[in-house]
Amino acid sequence: MNPKYPIFIISKGRSKRCLTARELLLMNVDFTLVVEPQEYDEYRSNYPNSKIITTPFSELGEGSIPVRNYVWELAANLGVKRYWILDDNIEGFHRLNRNEKYKVADGTIFRCCEDFIDRYENIPMAGMNYYSFCKKTDAVPAFYLNTRIYSCILIETKMPHRWRGRFNEDTDLSIRFLKDGYCTILFNAFLCGKVTTMRMSGGNTQDLYEKTNNRLEFAQSLADQHPDCVKIVWKFNRWHHQVDYSKFKRNALIRNCDTDKGINEYNMILTNTK
């Protein structure tokens, strides 16, 4: 089973190591790879069986914001209700079940997320949690309600907001939706194995992060955008932003129809593979 909404991967400087594209190709999941025009030939030579499109701009030095908004407009013009936007450094997708994490072999987990979100009228933003954030020893629910969504994101196209700023753009967008009274869903049942920021070359590493050595600037940018729920804290030997999501605990899910038909495993089975 494959996703019903289109998947876009935004990538830069990783034509030889676009991990997300590699994984989706192995899973036989369709996607569109969005790159800047000067890198088109390099990506095409490494991912010849992929759908690759180029942005109408290049080397703006504004991080991922321009391409994220470009993809949003592409999806809106397709007339789809939602679209996926994925970072290019995801090295696997997993199902968390009974405190074990299993790597998946096809796109069924995307469809599971989509069908769940479509049950509700007020979830404009959802996504999969990071593999590293769900430990086998922890008791975690199937999803977290009303929190930030990172890197593997399902967005409703009709929403009026767009990406903005230079840092923490995913947290900022999540907070703006929550302030509007909507809900967000962060799935723990389905996980993405994202490589830690700045551990890989390419992406925003050279354009943005290496040019900004002050971690305080990262944190301060989000606090300036949302002073009512974000504060700056010092932990793990560096500055961080800390968001108070308790302000949004009253944001309640609204069902759009009676779709409770019992347990559906979507024909997912556990099998040994090499």
Side-chain angles (χ1 to χ4, degrees):
M1 191 173 293
N2 278 316
K4 58 187 175 183
Y5 295 125
I7 294 178
F8 296 90
I9 303 171
I10 56 174
S11 187
K12 184 177 182 182
R14 290 173 176 158
S15 61
K16 295 181 179 179
R17 201 183 178 201
C18 183
L19 301 182
T20 312
R22 181 195 67 185
E23 288 302 310
L24 293 186
L25 285 171
L26 290 172
M27 294 161 62
N28 292 315
V29 173
D30 291 334
F31 63 89
T32 298
L33 190 55
V34 186
V35 304
E36 293 189 356
Q38 74 276 8
E39 296 187 309
Y40 176 82
D41 291 338
E42 296 178 33
Y43 277 90
R44 175 56 66 191
S45 64
N46 288 289
Y47 305 96
N49 298 322
S50 306
K51 182 181 179 181
I52 304 176
I53 62 174
T54 60
T55 61
F57 49 79
S58 62
E59 304 294 358
L60 297 181
E62 300 177 13
S64 66
I65 301 302
V67 67
R68 288 181 182 276
N69 284 326
Y70 176 67
V71 167
W72 198 321
E73 296 309 316
L74 282 177
N77 290 334
L78 288 174
V80 295
K81 182 178 181 180
R82 307 182 194 275
Y83 73 97
W84 290 92
I85 183 165
L86 275 56
D87 288 357
D88 61 356
N89 56 348
I90 299 173
E91 55 185 352
F93 297 89
H94 306 260
R95 183 187 182 190
L96 174 63
N97 185 36
R98 299 176 184 267
N99 281 72
E100 290 291 340
K101 293 181 277 191
Y102 302 101
K103 192 170 184 180
V104 299
D106 61 30
T108 303
I109 63 171
F110 289 94
R111 176 64 69 87
C112 293
C113 294
E114 294 168 343
D115 287 351
F116 185 90
I117 297 304
D118 282 344
R119 295 177 181 178
Y120 300 92
E121 298 179 357
N122 60 333
I123 308 177
M125 190 175 183
M128 302 181 196
N129 204 353
Y130 289 173
Y131 180 97
S132 58
F133 287 175
C134 288
K135 296 181 174 62
K136 295 181 180 181
T137 54
D138 293 343
V140 296
F143 62 85
Y144 293 131
L145 181 64
N146 300 337
T147 186
R148 87 296 179 277
I149 312 297
Y150 290 160
S151 302
C152 180
I153 306 173
L154 181 62
I155 296 179
E156 189 169 347
T157 54
K158 73 175 184 179
M159 293 293 106
H161 293 307
R162 291 297 182 267
W163 303 95
R164 67 178 184 178
R166 287 172 59 82
F167 314 115
N168 308 304
E169 64 273 6
D170 34 26
T171 304
D172 167 56
L173 186 61
S174 302
I175 293 174
R176 283 189 284 156
F177 281 136
L178 292 170
K179 284 185 173 181
D180 288 344
Y182 292 105
C183 293
T184 63
I185 292 284
L186 181 65
F187 288 100
N188 295 318
F190 310 112
L191 305 169
C192 62
K194 183 178 181 296
V195 176
T196 306
T197 300
M198 296 185 69
R199 291 289 297 275
M200 286 178 59
S201 61
N204 288 325
T205 302
Q206 283 77 22
D207 288 348
L208 205 59
Y209 298 123
E210 288 184 351
K211 295 179 181 179
T212 308
N213 296 320
N214 187 356
R215 294 290 305 185
L216 180 60
E217 184 179 348
F218 290 171
Q220 190 64 54
S221 65
L222 191 66
D224 290 343
Q225 290 170 328
H226 302 283
D228 55 326
C229 60
V230 179
K231 64 180 181 179
I232 310 300
V233 296
W234 177 265
K235 58 182 180 180
F236 309 122
N237 295 318
R238 65 182 187 181
W239 293 107
H240 292 264
H241 64 259
Q242 183 170 296
V243 183
D244 179 11
Y245 290 103
S246 66
K247 295 172 63 70
F248 313 112
K249 63 182 180 181
R250 294 182 180 274
N251 295 18
L253 294 170
I254 302 174
R255 289 289 285 267
N256 56 23
C257 60
D258 184 10
T259 56
D260 188 1
K261 298 179 181 180
I263 296 174
N264 183 353
E265 292 291 344
Y266 286 79
N267 293 322
M268 287 187 285
I269 61 172
L270 183 63
T271 184
N272 290 320
T273 60
K274 293 184 180 180

